[in-house]
Amino acid sequence: MNLTRFIRSLTRQPLKNAALVLSGGGARGAIHLGVLQAFDDNNIKIDAISGTSIGAIVGSLYCAGVSPLEIKDLMKSQIFASIFHLSWSKRGLLKMTRLKKTFKKFIPVNDFKSLKIPFYCCVSNLDTGNYEIIESGNLNKAVSASASIPILFEAVEINGQHYVDGGLFNNLPIEPLQNKYKNIIGVHVNNYKNTKAHNIRAVAERIFTLVSKQNVEPKLQKCDYLIEPFLNKPYRVLNFSFTDELFEIGYKEGVKFIEKYSKKSFYRKL
C-alpha cells in the first residue's frame, strides 16, 4: 500500500494552526527537510516557522516557497558547501562568504516581507549576552548571523551590534510562536551518540553542543509536540555527505508524527 495514501486516509482531523520550531545542528538540519517533505506530502499547512542556525537557513528558504527537495539538492551541492567556505578573515576566524549570493538566487527580495510564511530568526547578541528574535528587515544578514557558529565563524554586525549563532543562547526558539499558534511542533536534531574524537574541531563542536543543550532542555517541555529522533552517530556539523540519510530519518519521523496525530494517540507535552 502506498504509504502517503495510507497516512492521508488516517488523517481525519486536520492539523490546523500549526507552527514549527527548527533547532540548529549543522548538517543534521537535513532532518528538518525530511519532516517538511512529509508534511507537504500529506497536505499539512505550516502557518509559521521559528528557527536558529541551520534551522534558520532551512526555515527561511521554505517560507520563501522553496521546496524541501530543492533545499536538499542545494544542501548536497558545492554551492551550499561554499556557503560555509573556510576562508580566514583578518580576525583569524572563518566566514561564510557565499550565503548572500545563494539567498539572492532563491529569495530575490532580501526582506522578511517577501516571505510567503511568517518566519522568526533567532540570533545571539555577543554585546549584550542575550538572544534576539529578528522578524523584519535584512533577511540575509539575520540568517547569516544565526548560522555563524561561534569559535569557528566571525560575528555578523547588524546596526552596530555583533551577532553569532542563535543556538548559543537559544537553540529551540519557541518564544515568538507562543500564544499565537495552537499546535507548536519542535524539531530537535541534536539527540545523538557522542563522538570519541578529540581533535580541535571535534572539541569545539562538542563544547558548543553542550552549551546549547542546556538552553534547549526547558524549551522541549514547552512544545505541544516534539520530533526528536535519536541518531546512533554524531553526524558532524559541517559534513553534508549524509544529507540523503538524514533526510530519510526526518521523513520517517514526520510520517510517524502524522500517523500518531491522526490516531489521536500522540503524547502531548504539558
Side-chain angles (χ1 to χ4, degrees):
M1 180 182 291
N2 181 280
L3 181 61
T4 299
R5 289 181 181 175
F6 175 61
I7 295 301
R8 283 178 180 166
S9 70
L10 287 174
T11 310
R12 300 185 182 91
Q13 296 296 326
L15 182 64
K16 296 181 179 180
N17 199 224
L20 288 180
V21 190
L22 305 181
S23 77
R28 295 186 291 275
I31 292 172
H32 295 321
L33 296 174
V35 172
L36 287 167
Q37 186 63 48
F39 283 12
D40 280 1
D41 284 350
N42 288 276
N43 297 320
I44 294 177
K45 179 178 179 289
I46 300 302
D47 293 299
I49 291 179
S50 178
T52 194
S53 199
I54 191 67
I57 293 177
V58 168
S60 58
L61 288 169
Y62 183 81
C63 289
V66 186
S67 75
L69 291 177
E70 286 180 288
I71 303 173
K72 184 185 77 164
D73 288 341
L74 173 63
M75 192 176 286
K76 292 166 57 179
S77 71
Q78 285 300 115
I79 296 174
F80 195 85
S82 70
I83 291 176
F84 297 93
H85 183 60
L86 305 185
S87 58
W88 292 99
S89 70
K90 293 180 180 180
R91 295 190 179 99
L93 298 173
L94 303 172
K95 57 182 179 179
M96 290 183 287
T97 59
R98 307 290 179 84
L99 185 59
K100 182 177 181 180
K101 183 177 180 180
T102 301
F103 260 56
K104 187 174 183 180
K105 176 181 178 182
F106 290 94
I107 311 176
V109 180
N110 182 28
D111 194 292
F112 279 77
K113 292 181 180 178
S114 70
L115 301 178
K116 300 177 181 179
I117 299 172
F119 171 65
Y120 304 90
C121 183
C122 182
V123 295
S124 294
N125 188 323
L126 285 182
D127 299 321
T128 66
N130 297 306
Y131 76 84
E132 295 178 15
I133 302 296
I134 301 177
E135 55 183 293
S136 63
N138 191 315
L139 179 65
N140 179 268
K141 272 199 171 184
V143 175
S144 294
S146 185
S148 293
I149 303 170
I151 302 175
L152 294 178
F153 295 91
E154 69 176 354
V156 174
E157 185 174 338
I158 302 175
N159 297 326
Q161 298 286 297
H162 299 85
Y163 296 90
V164 294
D165 198 305
L168 179 63
F169 298 137
N170 190 346
N171 205 32
L172 200 67
I174 187 176
E175 290 78 8
L177 305 177
Q178 290 180 301
N179 303 317
K180 291 183 180 179
Y181 301 94
K182 182 179 179 181
N183 296 295
I184 300 176
I185 306 162
V187 186
H188 184 234
V189 300
N190 298 309
N191 183 21
Y192 60 86
K193 186 176 180 180
N194 296 327
T195 177
K196 295 182 179 180
H198 296 292
N199 57 62
I200 294 176
R201 189 165 176 175
V203 171
E205 286 184 14
R206 181 69 180 139
I207 290 173
F208 183 63
T209 299
L210 288 171
V211 170
S212 62
K213 183 179 180 180
Q214 297 303 311
N215 67 59
V216 162
E217 289 299 329
K219 308 298 176 65
L220 299 177
Q221 300 302 318
K222 294 180 180 180
C223 295
D224 295 307
Y225 304 102
L226 180 63
I227 296 176
E228 186 187 36
F230 177 74
L231 307 175
N232 59 15
K233 51 188 176 182
Y235 295 101
R236 299 291 294 277
V237 169
L238 298 180
N239 183 355
F240 296 95
S241 62
F242 295 100
T243 295
D244 284 328
E245 185 176 321
L246 289 162
F247 180 92
E248 288 303 316
I249 290 172
Y251 189 84
K252 289 177 181 178
E253 289 295 320
V255 167
K256 188 187 301 183
F257 168 83
I258 295 166
E259 182 177 8
K260 287 183 177 180
Y261 184 88
S262 67
K263 290 181 178 179
K264 298 181 180 180
S265 63
F266 203 98
Y267 172 70
R268 187 177 178 88
K269 289 283 183 180
L270 301 176

